Amino acid sequence: MDNFTFYSPTLYEFGRGAEEKTGMLTFLMGVKKVMIVFGKKYVKANGLLDRIESSLSTIGIEYVEYGGIEANPTDDRVYEAIAIARDKHVDGLLAIGGGSVIDTAKAVAAGVPYEGDFWDFFSGRSIVKKALPVGVVLTIPGAGSEGSGNAVITRRETLQKLSLRTDSILKPRFAIVDPELTFTLSAYQTACGIVDMMSHIMERYFSPTSRVEVSDRLAEGLLLSLITEAPKALADPTDYQSRANIEWAGTLAHNGLVGCGRREDWVSHFMEHEISAVYGVTHGAGLAVVIPAWMAFMAHHKPSKVAQLGRRVFGVEAPDDRTAAIEAVASLRAFFSAVLRMPLTFKALGIAEPDIDLLVSKLHEDKGETIGGYYKLSAKDTRQIYELMLDEPSRPQSAS
Amino acid sequence: MDNFTFYSPTLYEFGRGAEEKTGMLTFLMGVKKVMIVFGKKYVKANGLLDRIESSLSTIGIEYVEYGGIEANPTDDRVYEAIAIARDKHVDGLLAIGGGSVIDTAKAVAAGVPYEGDFWDFFSGRSIVKKALPVGVVLTIPGAGSEGSGNAVITRRETLQKLSLRTDSILKPRFAIVDPELTFTLSAYQTACGIVDMMSHIMERYFSPTSRVEVSDRLAEGLLLSLITEAPKALADPTDYQSRANIEWAGTLAHNGLVGCGRREDWVSHFMEHEISAVYGVTHGAGLAVVIPAWMAFMAHHKPSKVAQLGRRVFGVEAPDDRTAAIEAVASLRAFFSAVLRMPLTFKALGIAEPDIDLLVSKLHEDKGETIGGYYKLSAKDTRQIYELMLDEPSRPQSAS
């Protein structure tokens, strides 16, 4: 276990009707005029926006609406929102939505008090020293942005999808999580969210750091919860209890808890970000294609932790690590495919002829010559992993 | 899963040498003159107090020492410390120690700005509305007070051992956790701490609330970690990695995480508090006697969750719940006794002739006619549980 700092000061208000506390919690974060950031139609159509605005008005908080954020949010919307927020003298952000909306709100929160170009925070040219406070009403779980200090924005011009990571300055002050707001998510959206949650756990789980029993066991526990609850939510989208367990697991997957005391990996995210930046696929669906390919490669190059995952989460019994790891990959593929109905190949993702040259070159241009915490990957390795996404089922043997 | 609020704003600074950051973290909590609360000799003898005072001085923070706090801390010391803190115009507390020291510091933090008698907070006559900020340097893990908003103090005159529970106002602003500071703990202290951690997890795990898969899995994961790491720390007290895992598990056991979304139990704690208030035993050792007796009773009256614990944590395979629960109790007893070398009976605890009448009457006088979240216990039931602590091994059959 390595030294670490863990600071997760987000207040979680969880449960049926929790959004009624939006006004009070916004007031407690000291905000007088809030910019409400949201997506396309959902929050207006179902009356949620009205309910939240009335909760703000009751307590005397003014608000400015900024809607229409789409999946894989782009820098142009952030620039526009920053200009409006400055013009209207907004002193806080309220995101109603999922990762795209929350990430946009965070980028705006950091950009408003910054004199330079907000993209500096994403390109690594500057770090966030102050930001407006952000509150969240979560409607699409998965991204985990409600508990993280991170944001991901795509540069429209260059298709660079980059992330901004802060210790805590951009962690939301509060996150309102009402599982009933997720009842209307489609099976596809639900499944994409679950893959994203599992990936946030596994990116931390696949670590070179040894003796992290507590963080390992917590990660495995969250994965087991998701594997247990996912089929229930898919069978009955209004099953409150499975929605609640999935949503809480998704928050804990990404608030830093399961990363405590260890180096993390994040290669699957990096590889998926290139795919979704170029082809505009849904992040969770892209991850369902990337993760098993990454794991199949590891089953042959560094199987130990993949084997542990197989034994503790999927009940694999093989005594040697390589066999256990190969079985773990097969179990994860089966879960993604048969239970979550997720794609496992580029083709199933709707990309008939992926430009692997482009993906590999953009990946290493953005992230460096070698990447990965668990195992260092060169461009030759990442090409091999992208190639494993071509065939279904990609037989793990082909990785050796 | 029930609705819940989870707010754990404590910053954890974890690892080797973390105590060097005490001055900086105390400064960041806005304190100019801090009262350092500590125990008997350890922190002076090993130079820790000097190191911390120098870390405070370097950054210009003044301090007042208040030492000599003993196990099962008493109200007289709190009154004295409040008087000194007011006289010296202290504006923050720094606890260096374990639960007794931290709880004393919290009681002082709540008492200083309060016009009435601080005991009002423990007797339930008043609630804490403001408090001085508290920071912690943890040297004895187990109590979990470094991440909780609670404190337990004993009234010297009446031997009432009562707890004060707050949502977050008394949660420490920061907790410095350096596993090396625990190398000198004896096997007995180490084992007592581990029992206390396990009890904090189980008091939350034994809940009547259904469909709490995430909180269950996290609780089971922490228990599995402790069961794995305990024998290593006992075999080699300077094994940094097992000390680190145990200490982090102990913090997460009691910061509210595993209680999210469910009603909790706490009967084992209440029953033990009566024993330690009357007989002055170590809390963890007392719990090692109480918990298996409580569980043996439940194996016959409400076995379901005891059986789940057995199956998921101790690998019990019995198909029916009652048998699985009985086997779970046997496994826990074996772990407490053979691995941790803890007592399992009043006699082993050094109480040859326990006054069960007194314990039962004080228990229900303090806590009400029926007690318990998992299963409601009358005085007849709690008497039966105390009686199960008379014989070793208390055969679970005797509970029916």
Side-chain angles (χ1 to χ4, degrees), chain B residues 31 35 47 66 69 132 155 167 269 271 308 326 381 391:
Chain B
V31 168
M35 173 176 268
Y66 188 77
I69 304 302
L132 301 183
R155 192 85 162 159
D167 277 349
H269 263 71
M271 294 186 73
Q308 180 181 311
I326 290 170
D381 299 324
D391 303 313

Side-chain angles (χ1 to χ4, degrees), chain A residues 298-308 321-325 374:
Chain A
M298 291 308 157
H300 291 267
H301 292 83
K302 192 176 178 185
S304 56
K305 208 63 185 274
V306 186
Q308 181 182 309
D321 277 2
R322 178 172 293 210
T323 310
Y374 178 64

Side-chain angles (χ1 to χ4, degrees), chain B residues 263-299:
Chain B
R263 218 158 77 218
E264 304 180 355
D265 190 72
W266 294 101
V267 163
S268 296
H269 263 71
F270 296 158
M271 294 186 73
E272 195 290 322
H273 282 172
E274 300 305 337
I275 299 174
S276 62
V278 175
Y279 299 102
V281 304
T282 305
H283 180 52
L287 284 168
V289 176
V290 173
I291 298 168
W294 179 92
M295 274 173 62
F297 180 93
M298 291 307 157

Side-chain angles (χ1 to χ4, degrees), chain A residues 1-18 21 173 210-215 217-222 224-226 228-229 232 239-246 248-249 252 255 257 260, chain B residues 1-18 21 173 210-215 217-222 224-226 228-229 232 239-246 248-249 252 255 257 260:
Chain A
M1 198 191 291
D2 298 333
N3 285 9
F4 66 89
T5 303
F6 180 64
Y7 183 46
S8 172
T10 306
L11 183 149
Y12 297 104
E13 192 63 48
F14 192 101
R16 280 192 184 90
K21 297 184 183 161
R173 301 293 182 88
S210 62
R211 300 293 301 272
V212 280
E213 187 67 8
V214 171
S215 291
R217 289 287 185 186
L218 295 179
E220 291 153 359
L222 292 175
L224 283 162
S225 307
L226 288 168
T228 304
E229 299 295 339
K232 298 178 193 168
D239 174 6
Y240 179 86
Q241 295 299 341
S242 56
R243 291 288 194 185
N245 276 286
I246 290 168
W248 186 226
L252 296 177
N255 77 342
L257 180 70
C260 284
Chain B
M1 197 192 291
D2 299 332
N3 284 8
F4 65 89
T5 304
F6 179 64
Y7 184 46
S8 172
T10 306
L11 184 149
Y12 297 104
E13 192 64 47
F14 192 101
R16 282 193 183 89
K21 299 185 182 160
R173 301 293 183 91
S210 61
R211 302 292 302 272
V212 279
E213 186 68 8
V214 172
S215 291
R217 290 287 184 186
L218 295 179
E220 290 153 359
L222 291 175
L224 282 162
S225 306
L226 288 167
T228 304
E229 299 295 339
K232 298 178 192 168
D239 174 7
Y240 179 86
Q241 295 297 343
S242 57
R243 291 288 194 185
N245 276 287
I246 290 167
W248 186 227
L252 296 178
N255 77 342
L257 179 70
C260 284

Side-chain angles (χ1 to χ4, degrees), chain A residues 277-304:
Chain A
V278 175
Y279 298 103
V281 305
T282 306
H283 180 51
L287 285 168
V289 176
V290 173
I291 298 168
W294 180 92
M295 274 173 64
F297 180 95
M298 291 308 157
H300 291 267
H301 292 83
K302 192 176 178 185
S304 56

Side-chain angles (χ1 to χ4, degrees), chain A residues 217 317, chain B residues 205 217 220 223-224 227-228 295 305-320 323-332 335:
Chain A
R217 289 287 185 186
E317 290 183 350
Chain B
Y205 186 74
R217 290 287 184 186
E220 290 153 359
L223 290 171
L224 282 162
I227 290 168
T228 304
M295 274 173 62
K305 208 64 185 273
V306 186
Q308 180 181 311
L309 177 86
R311 293 187 182 113
R312 293 188 179 178
V313 174
F314 290 107
V316 167
E317 290 181 353
D320 72 293
T323 310
I326 290 170
E327 288 178 22
V329 178
S331 299
L332 185 68
F335 179 73

Side-chain angles (χ1 to χ4, degrees), chain A residues 188 191-193 195-196 272 281-289 291 342-343 349:
Chain A
Y188 180 75
C192 285
V195 175
D196 201 11
E272 195 291 321
V281 305
T282 306
H283 180 51
L287 285 168
V289 176
I291 298 168
M342 284 279 106
L349 199 54

